[in-house]
Amino acid sequence: MNYALAALTRWNAFSKTTQLVIGAALFAAVALTIVCGIVARPARVTLFATPLHPEQLAEVQERLASWNVAFTPTADNVVIDAGRRSDVLLRLSLAGVPHAHLETTGEALANVGVLTPQAVIDAQARAGLAGDLEAGLRGIDGVDDARVIVAPAKLAEFADESARDASASVRLLLRAGTHLPHATVEGIRRFVAAGVSGLDPSRVTILDDRGVALGDGDDGEDAADLQNSLQSALDSAFGDASTIVRVRVEHRNERLAQREVRRSALTSPPVATVLDSESYGGAGKHYHHDVRNDDRGSDTRESVRELQPDAIARVSAAVFVDRAHLLDLPKVRDLAAATIGYDPKRGDTLAVAAVDFHRTPVPRKDVWWLLYGTIVPLAPAAVIALALLAVGRMAVPPSFALLREWLERAAVQRASRAVAGLAPSRVRGALVNEPPHAAAAIISALPAATAAAVLNLYPPHEREAIVARMQRAASPLLGDAQEFLRDRVH
């Protein structure tokens, strides 16, 4: 409150002209700031040269919001600052956003007319169905884009033709470092099969962006998954760097079918009996041979097991155990067998051996090395701090002296205006506590007659000090030389 009153008092002490000039300057500064802000504000343009479809617009807005990029949405585009347009387009291009527009079934059949051939209608319906499936696959976690090709079923219309079942091919573009688990791949297979009439899930082929078939075996785990699973289990059980795991998986390249037929009797007697008898009569002149077959019926069961190609044929695993840890090898073997699903009937192999691990000796670092490593990184900052301290020590005293001189001159000017037009006795009373140099500056601003009358009111020694300062100029930084020396001596 005191500062506000002091500021208001100083403002009222200014003349009307000074107040008008200061007000005009402040108004001009505010106006100039507003104009500069308007001029410096970047222009805003549409981000894309062509309109976007609704799903593309939603995708772009979601990505810009995640990047904290300011934008204004429109009906088919977004508006951003013109200076950031190239940078944003580059980032969207690297992220693969927006995806190409997919033509849905509704859009594909929108232009179908009464005279449209059935073959054209079927082709457009397949294209729209593929677009619907691709849009659904894009929403799966880890899948950036998908391409679906549907081959419809074909009936054998003539005797020399063969029927063909419906099939589908799916190509997935996965994000970097993404591996789809077996359950996800099977879900994609069933999703595509359910979207196409008459399509069996076994006739859906799924490829990744490398051209590798996904999920075609009985077990979706591959060598990397098995190795990572086994390594993490051993590390959790016995500690890090105690074991090394390597796993190799061999897949079956051909399709195998195993057929098994079993017959069981319907009653207690055997399923079938054969009676063979021979007899001779008439002194060996007559020969009789009787063969009787009895089949009492049976229950026949036939089971067919078909093994798909690329199924796991054999798993080979090797576990290297650090001899220094003195681990129990049978326990390590049991844990590894349970983790990888070891099956000796399938031909799997599992080798566990204790070996000496190679270790690089770590050089010992003494106290001086640690001290050196601590001081060296801090040396630049310490040098800069010392330099700033030296510069400040040299610059601060002159700066304070200049500031003190400026404050004294301001005080002198205020006192000069206050005593202007007063009687010499009142001027002398106002200058009672003023030092000689301040009194000299104030008296110098008075008219000659008033100044002489005021000086006559001072004692002789004070008058001489004031007159001496009125006759020589003082440095704004150093001040009076005699006072400077006297202050240093005392």
Side-chain angles (χ1 to χ4, degrees), residues 218 251 385:
D218 293 337
H251 295 270

Side-chain angles (χ1 to χ4, degrees), residues 90-127:
L90 178 59
R91 293 184 65 183
L92 290 174
S93 177
L94 294 176
V97 177
H99 291 93
H101 172 63
L102 297 176
E103 189 178 26
T104 61
T105 304
E107 295 176 353
L109 300 178
N111 298 325
V112 173
V114 179
L115 301 179
T116 304
Q118 185 63 36
V120 176
I121 296 177
D122 294 341
Q124 292 181 346
R126 288 196 302 272

Side-chain angles (χ1 to χ4, degrees), residues 443-463:
I443 295 174
S444 298
L446 299 175
T450 306
V454 172
L455 289 174
N456 289 331
L457 298 176
Y458 278 92
H461 65 281
E462 293 183 10
R463 182 169 56 250

Side-chain angles (χ1 to χ4, degrees), residues 53-56 59 98-108 127-139 144-148:
H53 293 275
E55 75 277 4
Q56 293 177 321
E59 189 177 9
H99 291 93
H101 172 63
L102 297 176
E103 189 178 26
T104 61
T105 304
E107 295 176 353
L129 178 60
D132 294 336
L133 294 175
E134 292 169 5
L137 294 177
R138 283 180 180 176
D144 274 342
D145 204 353
R147 176 66 175 167
V148 178

Side-chain angles (χ1 to χ4, degrees), residues 401-437:
L402 184 61
L403 178 61
R404 184 178 61 183
E405 183 69 19
W406 181 81
L407 294 175
E408 290 179 354
R409 289 192 176 186
V412 168
Q413 292 178 0
R414 290 195 302 271
S416 300
R417 288 194 298 269
V419 300
L422 298 179
S425 58
R426 296 188 60 184
V427 174
R428 175 65 181 88
L431 299 179
V432 171
N433 297 323
E434 295 293 341
H437 66 277

Side-chain angles (χ1 to χ4, degrees), residues 164-437:
R164 185 182 63 212
D165 296 332
S167 62
S169 299
V170 181
R171 185 175 182 271
L172 301 177
L173 179 61
L174 304 179
R175 296 193 185 97
T178 300
H179 175 75
L180 296 181
H182 178 67
T184 303
V185 176
E186 288 302 316
I188 293 175
R189 192 189 309 277
R190 296 182 180 277
F191 172 77
V192 174
V196 181
S197 177
L199 178 59
D200 188 81
S202 62
R203 297 187 60 82
V204 178
T205 303
I206 303 176
L207 304 177
D208 62 3
D209 48 352
R210 302 169 299 169
V212 178
L214 302 177
D216 286 339
D218 293 337
D219 193 347
E221 299 286 344
D222 56 7
D225 293 331
L226 288 176
Q227 180 171 306
N228 294 334
S229 178
L230 179 55
Q231 186 68 68
S232 62
L234 295 177
D235 291 343
S236 300
F238 305 110
D240 296 339
S242 60
T243 58
I244 299 176
V245 176
R246 292 295 181 268
V247 177
R248 182 174 179 268
V249 177
E250 298 179 10
H251 295 270
R252 184 178 294 107
N253 295 325
E254 70 279 357
R255 185 186 300 269
L256 298 180
Q258 297 177 352
R259 175 172 297 183
E260 183 180 1
V261 180
R262 293 184 179 182
R263 297 180 63 191
S264 59
L266 296 177
T267 58
S268 57
V271 176
T273 58
V274 178
L275 299 178
D276 190 351
S277 62
E278 295 179 342
S279 61
Y280 294 90
K285 298 180 180 180
H286 300 285
Y287 171 74
H288 181 72
H289 185 201
D290 186 14
V291 178
R292 185 174 65 179
N293 295 325
D294 292 336
D295 193 340
R296 298 178 178 84
S298 62
D299 184 11
T300 303
R301 295 183 179 180
E302 180 178 356
S303 60
V304 179
R305 181 187 179 191
E306 186 174 352
L307 301 179
Q308 299 291 335
D310 202 33
I312 294 181
R314 183 172 59 185
V315 176
S316 302
V319 180
F320 305 89
V321 180
D322 188 4
R323 195 188 305 273
H325 287 76
L326 302 177
L327 300 181
D328 190 350
L329 296 186
K331 291 184 179 180
V332 174
R333 180 181 178 83
D334 294 341
L335 179 59
T339 303
I340 66 175
Y342 174 70
D343 187 4
K345 297 180 180 180
R346 190 173 54 185
D348 295 351
T349 59
L350 175 60
V352 179
V355 296
D356 293 326
F357 282 13
H358 174 72
R359 293 180 175 84
T360 303
V362 179
R364 296 184 60 185
K365 298 179 180 180
D366 53 11
V367 178
W368 294 107
W369 175 264
L370 297 177
L371 185 60
Y372 175 79
T374 304
I375 294 176
V376 170
L378 299 177
V383 172
I384 294 175
L386 292 176
L388 293 177
L389 183 61
V391 172
R393 185 176 180 83
M394 291 186 296
V396 168
S399 301
F400 275 107
L402 184 61
L403 178 61
R404 184 178 61 183
E405 183 69 19
W406 181 81
L407 294 175
E408 290 179 354
R409 289 192 176 186
V412 168
Q413 292 178 0
R414 290 195 302 271
S416 300
R417 288 194 298 269
V419 300
L422 298 179
S425 58
R426 296 188 60 184
V427 174
R428 175 65 181 88
L431 299 179
V432 171
N433 297 323
E434 295 293 341
H437 66 277

